[in-house]
Amino acid sequence: MTKKTNIFGHLKSDFASGLVVFLVALPLCLGIAMASGAPLFSGIIAGVIGGIVVGYLSKSHVSVSGPAAGLTAIVLTAITDFGAFNIFLTAVLLAGILQLILGFLKAGSISNYFPTNVIEGMLAGIGVIIILKQLPHAVGYDADFEGDEAFVQADGGNTISSLLGALDYIQFGAVIITLISLAILIAWDKVPFLKKLKLIPGALVAVTVGVILNELFIASGSSLAIAKEHLVALPVPTSLEDFQNIFMFPDFTAITNSQVWVVALTIAIVASIESLLCIEAADRLDPQKRFTDTNNELKAQGVGNIVSSLLGGLPMTSVVVRTSANINSGAKTKMSAIVHGALLLISVVAIPVILNKIPLATLAAVLLMVGYKLAKPATIMHFWHKGKYQFVPFIATLLAVVFLDLLKGVALGMIISIIFVLRGNLKRAYYFRKEEYEDGDIIHIDLAQEVSFLNKAAIKLTLSNLPENSNVIINASDTVYIAHDVIDLIKEFKHINAVEKNIDVTLIGFKEAYELDNTQYENNHVFMEHDALIKYRNNSISSHKEAIEELTTN
C-alpha cells in the first residue's frame, strides 16, 4: 500500500534535489531533441510537463519524467516519414490517450512480474552506459549528443570507439574542471559537515565552481578556456515572437492517417514499458521503500503526453537517469520532480544566457557519480554471491542493456529468468528417494505443494524408469494443486504401466490435497471411482461399493 506523504513536508531537501535534477535534465532535454530531429525547445517542453504535470499526478515519490533516449529512433523516423513535426505531435497526442486507456485497464500490473535481479541488472547497465558515455564529455570531446544511450551511434561508430577517439581530443581545461567537480561531489558525499548542508547540493557547488573556473580561463586568455561548443546550448529567444514560436500544435487533420496511429501505438507501448521499468527501479532505489501505483502511473504518463503534444513537446517516459540523480540527491517527495520542471520553465524565460555558461564537463562529473552509484562493484558481487540463478539473469541484463538497448536487455533477462524458473519447477515438483528394505525396494515420490503441467515431463520420465517388481508410494499429503495432465499421467501409470511392470503403487494424501477446491475434489472422487472399478473388475474385492469405502478410509 502506498504511504501518504506531505509533499511540502521536506521542501528543503526536495528543492535541493530538484535543482540537481534540473542541472542534469537541461542538457539531456536539448540533446534528445536534437537527436530526434525535433525543435530544441520541444525537449524542454517535455521536461517541463514531465516535471510539473506528471510529477503532480504521479503517485511515485521519487521518479522523474521527461523526454527519453529510448524513444529517439522512433521519433526521428516518424518525423522524417511524416515530413512535418505537427503531424508527429498528433501521434504523440493519440499515444497519450492510449496510455490513459491502458491505465484504466490496469495494464500497469504487469510490472509486478519484473524480477528483482533483472531490474537491478537494468540499473547497473544504465550506470555503465552513463559512465562510458560521459567520459568523452569529461575530457572535452562532445561529438556525441547528451542523452545518447545507444551502443551503435548515428555516425557509424560505437560507444567504445567514441571513448577511444576522445583520447585524441583531450582538452585540459575540461579535464581540470571535471576533476575539481568530482572532488567537490565526493567531498559533499563523504565529509560529515558538508553532508549536513542539505539546502546547498554538491552538484550546484560543482557547477558554480566549473562556471567560475572557465570564466577565469576566458578572462585570462588561457588555452584552458572551454569553447562555446562545449557548453550548454539553450536557445535564447530574442523577442516575444521568438518565444511564441516555441509552441506548436498538432495537425488534427492527420488523425485519419493510419500511419499516425501505428506510430502512436508504438510510442504508447514503448513509453509505457519504459515507464513501468523505471517505476520498479525507482521503488527499488527509494530509501523509504515506498510502492507506486503503476496503473495510476500510466494514467499520469498519458496525461503528460497529451499536454506535451498540445504544446509542441516530445513524448516522455519516466527516466532512470533523472530518477537516480533525484534519489541520490536526497529527494523525499514528488515535490522535487515538480521543482525540476518549474526550474526548466524559468530557465527558458529568465536565465538562458547564464545557463549557457555551464561546461558540459562539470555536468559530466555529476552524471559520472550517478552512474557509479548505479553500477557499484558491490552490487555485482552481491548477485555473484547469490548464486548462478540470480547472477546470470542479472549480468545478462546488464550486458544486453549496454550493448543492445534497455528493452532488449530487460527482455533477455526476463527470458533467462523464466528458463531458470521452469528448470527449478522441474526439479522441485517432487522429491524422489529410494530406500532398501529386506522385503524389496520401496520407492517414495513426494509431490510438492504445486505440481503444474510444466512438471509432467519430469514426472513421466521418473515413472517410466522405475524398476520392475518394486513398491512405489506417491505422496500428495502436502500438495495443494495438481494439474489435470499430471493426474491423468498418474492414473495411466497406476492402472496400465505399473500393472505391466508388476509395480505396486500406493497413493497417499490425494483426497486431502484436493479438499480445498470443489472441482479438484470431484476430480479426486473420479480418481477413486476409477480405482474402485479396476479392483472390482479384477475381482480383488467383493463389491464396487466396498472398494470405494476402502479407498476413502485409506
Side-chain angles (χ1 to χ4, degrees), residues 141-409:
Y141 181 60
D142 303 303
D144 198 13
F145 70 90
E146 286 281 3
D148 183 20
E149 295 177 0
F151 181 75
V152 179
Q153 298 172 178
D155 60 3
N158 57 53
T159 301
I160 304 301
S161 64
S162 178
L163 194 59
L164 295 174
L167 298 176
D168 298 326
Y169 297 92
I170 292 177
Q171 296 188 15
F172 290 102
V175 172
I176 291 171
I177 287 176
T178 297
L179 293 176
I180 292 175
S181 298
L182 282 173
I184 292 171
L185 292 168
I186 293 171
W188 234 261
D189 198 38
K190 299 295 183 182
V191 178
F193 169 72
L194 296 176
K195 287 177 70 175
K196 293 179 181 179
L197 299 177
K198 299 292 185 182
L199 192 59
I200 307 174
L204 177 61
V205 177
V207 168
T208 303
V209 170
V211 171
I212 292 173
L213 277 175
N214 192 49
E215 289 299 308
L216 290 174
F217 292 155
I218 294 172
S220 63
S222 171
S223 60
L224 298 176
I226 298 175
K228 182 179 179 181
E229 59 267 25
H230 303 298
L231 306 175
V232 170
L234 182 64
V236 181
T238 56
S239 65
L240 180 60
E241 184 179 357
D242 285 346
F243 185 76
Q244 291 174 338
N245 290 336
I246 291 173
F247 303 100
M248 297 181 67
F249 305 97
D251 180 0
F252 294 105
T253 62
I255 204 166
T256 57
N257 186 337
S258 61
Q259 191 58 33
V260 168
W261 282 92
V262 171
V263 172
L265 182 61
T266 304
I267 292 174
I269 293 173
V270 174
S272 297
I273 293 174
E274 289 204 11
S275 292
L276 292 176
L277 287 168
C278 179
I279 288 299
E280 284 298 306
D283 288 349
R284 290 285 305 165
L285 294 172
D286 183 7
Q288 298 184 44
K289 300 303 177 187
R290 294 164 289 190
F291 294 104
T292 301
D293 183 344
T294 50
N295 295 313
N296 182 84
E297 184 64 26
L298 288 181
K299 296 175 188 176
Q301 293 292 333
V303 172
N305 277 321
I306 290 171
V307 176
S308 182
S309 69
L310 293 174
L311 295 176
L314 290 174
M316 71 188 72
T317 72
S318 184
V319 186
V320 173
V321 176
R322 278 162 248 193
T323 299
S324 303
N326 191 37
I327 294 169
N328 291 336
S329 302
K332 297 293 190 296
T333 74
K334 59 185 180 180
M335 179 55 74
S336 59
I338 297 172
V339 166
H340 126 271
L343 290 174
L344 280 173
L345 178 60
I346 294 170
S347 70
V348 175
V349 179
I351 53 172
V353 175
I354 296 175
L355 294 174
N356 285 345
K357 295 181 181 294
I358 299 175
L360 293 178
T362 193
L363 295 178
V366 175
L367 287 169
L368 284 171
M369 289 295 293
V370 172
Y372 173 75
K373 289 181 178 181
L374 287 175
K376 283 183 179 178
T379 302
I380 299 174
M381 293 308 299
H382 169 73
F383 281 96
W384 172 261
H385 292 305
K386 277 195 167 188
K388 64 180 179 182
Y389 291 108
Q390 288 293 313
F391 181 74
V392 173
F394 166 81
I395 201 68
T397 303
L398 187 160
L399 294 174
V401 166
V402 172
F403 293 106
L404 298 175
D405 61 43
L406 187 146
L407 293 182
K408 290 176 183 175

Side-chain angles (χ1 to χ4, degrees), residues 464-508:
S464 64
N465 289 329
L466 291 174
E468 295 182 359
N469 305 314
S470 58
N471 298 309
V472 178
I473 299 174
I474 303 178
N475 189 353
S477 298
D478 297 327
T479 307
V480 176
Y481 167 78
I482 305 178
H484 294 296
D485 289 1
V486 178
I487 292 175
D488 292 339
L489 175 65
I490 295 174
K491 286 181 184 179
E492 292 174 2
F493 173 76
K494 177 177 174 62
H495 303 302
I496 300 174
N497 306 96
V499 173
E500 292 175 355
K501 298 173 70 173
N502 194 32
I503 298 174
D504 183 47
V505 179
T506 303
L507 303 179
I508 300 176

Side-chain angles (χ1 to χ4, degrees), residues 11-56:
L11 198 54
K12 288 184 178 180
S13 59
D14 286 340
F15 182 84
S17 56
L19 181 58
V20 174
V21 179
F22 155 69
L23 293 172
V24 170
L26 179 62
L28 294 180
C29 289
L30 296 172
I32 290 169
M34 181 175 65
S36 301
L40 290 181
F41 273 115
S42 65
I44 299 294
I45 292 170
V48 171
I49 301 303
I52 298 175
V53 177
V54 178
Y56 176 76

